[in-house]
Amino acid sequence: MKKIQSLIPNPQSLAILFATLLLIGVQTSANEFSVYGGGGLSTLRYDVKGGDKSHGFGGLFGLGYSYFFTPNWGIGSGLEMAFYNAEYRFKEHSQQPYTFIDYEGNEIGFRSKVYGYKEEQSLMLLQIPLMLQYQRGGEERQFYAAAGTKIGFPLSGNNKISADSVKNSGYREFEDYEYTTQKFMGFGTFEKEKSEKKLPLQTAVFLSAETGVKWKLNEALRLYTGVYFDYGLNSATKRHISDRVVEYDSEKQSFAFNSLIDEAMPLAIGLKLKLSFDAGALAEAARLVAEEEARRKAAEEEAARLAAEEEARRKAAEEEAMRLAAAEEARRKAAEEEAARLAAEKEAARLASIEEGKAISLQARIDSIQSQVLNDFHITQTKPSEKQIPALETIIALLQDHPELRFYLNGHTCNQGDKEINRKVGYERAKAIRDYIIAKGIDEKRILGIGSKLYYEPLVPNTSEENRRKNRRVEFVIEKWLPIE
């Protein structure tokens, strides 16, 4: 096995070889590029004890390159994907008991029987062939044969393991008792068990051969029809040592399947179709097509040049006409804009005069009620009387005409009575006015606040009952143009 592995070239060496052949070939007409595919028996060879092994079917497809250094002899390489499948099964297997130490430190003999066991292997390789080819025959048909080697680099490998049923038990000698139904410990009968494992893969080396007939389709195309044979010289899977179908995990108190497949060598026999392209003929055809295309493009370019000159003259005439029209339009717009500017200045002056008059009028109305008093409250009166309603309606009219105004409401008292009672009476007077104007349609959000000033801000000295009636009042303190949040 080690000798075979030492013969495997590394990917860099193969890439250099392939590039060298390609550079040599494209300089001559004695080279072919190809695409191909094939299928048939594509399986894995391995040794198993007992049971039945079934070979699987698969195939390959790839890209190739061949260089013919004489009319009869050539060498080829390429890249191809190959697929291998195999299956192994047995009806019944009684596993040799073995002993393990459980979580309590006791020895337990693990026993297992497996029914309807099956392993399904699938393998995918990236293969690089290096083949020597011989061909001879007539112009239209030739016999060919090729032989050489392939290197298979593993891409993926899966092993699907299943069993119809597994019966596990654990025997404790010191108890002389066999556990057969404790499924939580991995003992008992388990139906339809499945698992999937990755195959441990390694690079494989093949001896390869191919033979068949090469048919001429036209000067550039050839069709190969033949059979191929790939024989693996070493295992594509790494060696592992285990003859147990069922492995018990004492820590997890569970079991798992082991693969019985050890070393598996790939083998493929099948039919192959390959379509090849003669690079020389393709190059000549491409040269003639390129010359014709060059003549066509030259004619198109000349026609395009003449059309472009004519289009340029037409566009120049259009642009000149557009320039003159744009200049005239600019003069017209300038005159219109000057006239509009003068009209706008006149209108702005007119509106400013109107706004100034409105502002003076509004300020006069605000000033008339800024310190407007709703007075002549009796000493304990809080709600407005019929006598006070006209003055209050005047204020409401102003507030309705100018919804941008915001204001405070302050209630006042005279100096008679208890201080705390006066505070409440002043507040209730302001609150009663607030409720009244809200009922009249004034937005509550326009009221910035209400409060009680008690007798701290009298209009006149509290020296007589007449003066005290003037001091018992509610005032609107107007703020202008405050936004509603």
Side-chain angles (χ1 to χ4, degrees), residues 187-448:
F187 302 138
T189 299
F190 301 87
E191 304 291 340
K192 302 298 180 182
E193 290 294 314
K194 295 181 180 181
S195 69
E196 185 169 347
K197 296 179 178 294
K198 295 291 185 182
L199 291 173
L201 303 177
Q202 61 185 5
T203 304
V205 180
F206 296 83
L207 284 178
S208 297
E210 183 180 339
T211 186
V213 180
K214 179 180 179 180
W215 308 84
K216 180 180 178 181
L217 301 180
N218 56 39
E219 293 301 322
L221 297 178
R222 303 290 186 272
L223 177 64
Y224 288 76
T225 58
V227 295
Y228 69 95
F229 175 70
D230 293 331
Y231 183 83
L233 297 177
N234 70 310
S235 174
T237 60
K238 296 179 181 179
R239 183 176 177 81
H240 73 280
I241 301 174
S242 177
D243 58 356
R244 297 173 182 169
V245 177
V246 179
E247 191 75 34
Y248 186 78
D249 188 332
S250 60
E251 293 184 359
K252 296 181 180 179
Q253 294 187 322
S254 62
F255 68 93
F257 287 127
N258 274 330
S259 173
L260 295 179
I261 306 306
D262 191 2
E263 294 182 319
M265 298 183 183
L267 172 69
I269 304 172
L271 301 177
K272 185 175 182 180
L273 291 177
K274 178 168 68 174
L275 184 64
S276 69
F277 309 87
D278 187 310
L282 287 176
E284 178 63 17
R287 184 186 66 79
L288 295 175
V289 170
E291 289 179 356
E292 179 61 27
E293 181 67 13
R295 287 191 294 270
R296 185 186 63 79
K297 283 189 175 180
E300 288 181 353
E301 289 172 356
E302 178 63 16
R305 183 185 66 80
L306 295 175
E309 290 179 355
E310 179 62 26
E311 181 67 13
R313 288 191 293 270
R314 186 186 65 79
K315 284 188 175 181
E318 287 183 354
E319 289 172 357
E320 178 63 17
M322 291 174 63
R323 186 187 66 79
L324 295 175
E328 180 61 27
E329 180 67 13
R331 286 192 294 271
R332 184 187 65 77
K333 284 187 176 181
E336 289 180 353
E337 289 172 357
E338 178 63 17
R341 185 185 65 78
L342 294 175
E345 289 180 354
K346 183 177 179 180
E347 179 66 13
R350 186 183 69 81
L351 293 176
S353 176
I354 293 173
E355 289 299 322
E356 182 178 1
K358 287 182 178 180
I360 292 172
S361 175
L362 173 60
Q363 189 61 49
R365 293 184 70 186
I366 291 174
D367 291 343
S368 69
I369 66 167
Q370 182 68 53
S371 300
Q372 176 72 44
V373 293
L374 295 172
N375 57 9
D376 200 17
F377 280 84
H378 297 296
I379 191 167
T380 58
Q381 177 192 348
T382 58
K383 295 183 179 180
S385 65
E386 292 296 327
K387 183 180 178 181
Q388 294 166 322
I389 292 301
L392 184 55
E393 290 293 341
T394 299
I395 298 173
I396 291 173
L398 173 63
L399 296 177
Q400 289 174 338
D401 290 342
H402 296 279
E404 73 275 12
L405 297 180
R406 311 290 181 266
F407 54 92
Y408 295 91
L409 291 172
N410 293 325
H412 297 262
T413 66
C414 65
N415 64 347
Q416 290 185 343
D418 181 72
K419 179 179 179 181
E420 184 59 31
I421 293 176
N422 280 329
R423 185 187 306 278
K424 291 181 180 179
V425 169
Y427 179 81
E428 290 298 324
R429 285 172 180 165
K431 181 175 179 296
I433 297 301
R434 181 198 66 180
D435 294 343
Y436 184 89
I437 65 176
I438 289 174
K440 289 292 185 176
I442 300 301
D443 190 348
E444 183 179 1
K445 293 180 180 179
R446 296 174 62 185
I447 302 173
L448 301 176

